[in-house]
Amino acid sequence: RLLCSLLVPALFLSGALCLCVAVLLWGVRLWLQARKRQLGPAGRDGQRPVLVAFFHPYCNAGGGGERVLWCAIRTLQKKYKNITCVVYTGDRDATAEEIVEGAFRRFNIKLTHPVKFVFLEKRYLVEASLYPHFTLLGQSLGSVFLGWEALLKCVPDIYIDSMGYAFTLPLFKYLGGCRVGCYVHYPTISTDMLSVVRNQDTRFNNAAFITNNPLISKFKLVYYYLFAFLYGLVGSCSDVVMVNSSWTLNHILSIWRTGACTSVVYPPCDVQTFLDIPLEEEKSTAECSIVSVSQFRPEKDHPLQIRAFAKLLKEKRPGQQPSLKLILIGGCRNQQDEERVNNLKRLCDELGVSANVMFRVNIPFEELKKHLAEATIGLHTMWNEHFGIGVVECMAAGTVILAHNSGGPKLDIVVPYEGRITGFLAENEDNYAEKMAYILSLSPEKRLEIRENARRSVYRFSDRHFEETFLLSVEPLFK
């Protein structure tokens, strides 16, 4: 009877609190809209231009995500005349002019109109190093505070998250009153991540001490499921969703359930630079090179490359020509990456292949092109790579690609083109060694045919194709 007597007041109080929160949020939205009208610049004809804002806190970096950002801005500037593009960035150590100049220098992308930069002071809130535990949740909540700072400084008409901070979407849609879209390079959490924890598989993002403890594994699985539920809620707020590959599409659809507004927009790869490399029939040489191009990060699985190469050398009969060389090309971002390279060199010593393996770290672009031009095989070993720009570049340069049988390479890139083979896929050490031996056993004429097919196929990933599919995808935001 006591519980029943308390139920009505509790329900009344809960309803009153919900109403207060709703009124407060509506008041904040009205205040932000008034602020937008007050601060919004007028165009030359007296009409206020449409503000299109991109949330990209690390816009001055030089990766594939930044190439997508600048290509997207250039595409919108060419299509729509009465717009002003805004970039929310935390790169306070560079000026607006230096950032634009850096985009031109790194990607050869020249913008047709000026860009407005909104410099954010709290970017540290989204850095993984701030959250040694519960990193996914910490970064996501941090992005909400960073997004609030961005919204206070500039309220746009159209908001596009181009770095994967999905938890900012409801903030801009419901408080900012914006039409919102996003370009997803990699899901913050995927069904594959859930299966890894559920099956207690030890991987670089699922440490052995967790997999060896059933209780901790169960706790992490519950945490992942709760986070996936939240991730699905915020992602479903988006009016337009663009993903970079079929692999990403499958995971986003299963978690966000936004099929009606989701489309695949392949990232713009600088294929023309590599297509300029002359494609000629191989000349007989005393040495064949196998080249890997990827940053020295744990998920790239360089140890698999070295072990497979050692197995290939072991099974190669003495006196067989030509001799083989594995060239590992990649970037080191920090001391951890440098230590990883040292560990790989020790692995080469243990396997007795040091004389046949070359490490080329942070090399100039022209040297990279030279190695690719001379290589016979392009090697890629990352499991569930979301897309694989390096795979596309190897194919465009004229190598015979051997990539991991998963993710973007399997579903989008190393697929038959016009009914003809474009490369090969493998999964484990034995498989890679066998496929490398098979590729090397092919005649130069047959390898040339595969290289030509691969080159023709990579036009699907050019800047022009990106522009066409990007404009089709974002069109609903401008209606």
Side-chain angles (χ1 to χ4, degrees):
R1 188 175 295 177
L2 177 62
L3 289 176
C4 291
S5 64
L6 292 176
L7 181 61
V8 174
L11 290 175
F12 178 79
L13 182 61
S14 299
L17 287 174
C18 289
L19 182 62
C20 289
V21 170
V23 170
L24 177 63
L25 292 177
W26 184 252
V28 171
R29 176 178 171 131
L30 292 177
W31 175 71
L32 287 172
Q33 293 301 306
R35 185 181 176 87
K36 174 181 175 180
R37 289 190 295 271
Q38 182 182 356
L39 298 179
R44 293 178 181 176
D45 56 358
Q47 292 186 339
R48 192 180 67 82
V50 176
L51 288 181
V52 183
F54 290 83
F55 192 75
H56 209 104
Y58 296 87
C59 76
N60 202 32
E66 286 67 57
R67 194 167 207 284
V68 169
L69 169 70
W70 299 116
C71 276
I73 291 175
R74 181 182 62 183
T75 301
L76 292 179
Q77 287 182 342
K78 287 195 292 186
K79 169 71 174 179
Y80 299 100
K81 302 306 178 186
N82 191 37
I83 68 166
T84 296
C85 288
V86 178
V87 178
Y88 297 116
T89 178
D91 294 300
R92 294 186 297 148
D93 56 343
T95 65
E97 293 75 17
E98 289 171 341
I99 294 174
V100 173
E101 174 59 29
F104 177 69
R105 187 177 65 254
R106 296 185 190 104
F107 308 117
N108 195 31
I109 295 174
K110 192 169 184 62
L111 303 179
T112 57
H113 300 290
V115 173
K116 177 183 177 183
F117 290 91
V118 175
F119 291 93
L120 307 176
E121 299 177 5
K122 296 182 176 61
R123 189 177 69 178
Y124 64 89
L125 291 174
V126 297
E127 293 176 1
S129 58
L130 191 64
Y131 311 100
H133 306 291
F134 300 99
T135 309
L136 295 180
L137 183 60
Q139 285 184 290
S140 298
L141 293 177
S143 72
V144 175
F145 288 100
L146 189 63
W148 176 247
E149 180 190 350
L151 191 56
L152 286 179
K153 290 184 175 180
C154 177
V155 184
D157 299 292
I158 296 172
Y159 170 79
I160 299 175
D161 164 41
S162 52
M163 267 202 79
Y165 294 110
F167 281 73
T168 63
L169 294 171
L171 189 69
F172 278 82
K173 181 168 186 175
Y174 298 119
L175 291 185
C178 311
R179 286 156 282 170
V180 300
C182 58
Y183 188 97
V184 183
H185 298 274
Y186 196 88
T188 304
I189 191 167
S190 66
T191 52
D192 284 337
M193 292 169 66
L194 292 170
S195 65
V196 164
V197 178
R198 185 169 52 248
N199 299 331
Q200 294 182 254
D201 293 337
T202 301
R203 293 188 180 271
F204 72 95
N205 58 354
N206 196 39
F209 81 89
I210 294 177
T211 60
N212 293 334
N213 190 313
L215 183 62
I216 297 178
S217 289
K218 286 283 188 285
F219 178 80
K220 184 172 182 178
L221 186 61
V222 171
Y223 161 56
Y224 267 25
Y225 270 113
L226 288 174
F227 184 84
F229 174 73
L230 293 175
Y231 186 55
L233 282 181
V234 297
S236 63
C237 296
S238 191
D239 300 307
V240 166
V241 180
M242 294 167 281
V243 297
N244 65 343
S245 69
S246 299
W247 181 86
T248 307
L249 174 70
N250 294 335
H251 287 284
I252 287 297
L253 290 182
S254 66
I255 297 176
W256 287 14
R257 306 188 185 281
T258 52
C261 61
T262 304
S263 57
V264 177
V265 179
Y266 292 129
C269 304
D270 191 14
V271 295
Q272 191 56 54
T273 300
F274 295 95
L275 291 172
D276 291 339
I277 298 173
L279 190 61
E280 301 171 351
E281 189 171 315
E282 301 168 22
K283 298 174 183 177
S284 57
T285 60
E287 184 177 272
C288 273
S289 63
I290 300 167
V291 172
S292 162
V293 182
S294 59
Q295 286 188 321
F296 288 103
R297 301 203 305 258
E299 65 270 22
K300 299 299 182 180
D301 206 353
H302 288 92
L304 173 57
Q305 299 178 5
I306 294 171
R307 291 194 301 268
F309 180 70
K311 192 174 187 66
L312 175 67
L313 289 182
K314 186 178 179 181
E315 295 177 354
K316 184 173 177 284
R317 291 191 299 273
Q320 256 187 329
Q321 293 295 329
S323 64
L324 299 177
K325 177 80 75 175
L326 174 63
I327 304 174
L328 301 178
I329 301 173
C332 279
R333 305 161 297 174
N334 48 42
Q335 188 176 349
Q336 287 84 359
D337 286 355
E338 292 171 5
E339 181 59 32
R340 201 167 287 117
V341 170
N342 292 331
N343 290 337
L344 292 172
K345 289 179 179 178
R346 283 192 282 272
L347 177 61
C348 291
D349 290 334
E350 293 170 11
L351 297 174
V353 297
S354 294
N356 297 84
V357 179
M358 180 189 301
F359 289 84
R360 305 298 294 135
V361 180
N362 296 332
I363 62 174
F365 183 70
E366 288 304 315
E367 186 178 343
L368 166 66
K369 282 181 66 175
K370 182 176 183 293
H371 283 300
L372 286 175
E374 297 171 352
T376 302
I377 298 174
L379 195 59
H380 164 275
T381 49
M382 179 178 169
W383 173 74
N384 270 344
E385 174 92 74
H386 49 292
F387 178 69
I389 289 178
V391 175
V392 173
E393 291 175 345
C394 284
M395 293 168 68
T399 68
V400 179
I401 192 67
L402 175 58
H404 199 281
N405 189 27
S406 64
K410 175 185 179 180
L411 297 175
D412 295 304
I413 304 174
V414 191
V415 296
Y417 183 72
E418 296 179 347
R420 297 177 179 176
I421 189 171
T422 59
F424 299 89
L425 299 167
E427 294 181 9
N428 53 47
E429 182 181 320
D430 292 337
N431 207 199
Y432 271 98
E434 291 169 5
K435 291 290 178 69
M436 284 190 284
Y438 175 73
I439 294 169
L440 294 170
S441 72
L442 295 173
S443 66
E445 294 79 16
K446 181 62 178 175
R447 282 200 294 265
L448 179 62
E449 180 185 328
I450 295 171
R451 293 158 65 205
E452 288 174 338
N453 295 340
R455 271 202 158 181
R456 282 192 291 269
S457 74
V458 298
Y459 283 102
R460 298 171 292 148
F461 312 115
S462 64
D463 287 3
R464 181 176 178 182
H465 189 266
F466 169 82
E467 290 179 0
E468 293 171 353
T469 52
F470 178 78
L471 286 174
L472 282 174
S473 298
V474 300
E475 189 176 358
L477 297 177
F478 290 86
K479 290 181 177 177

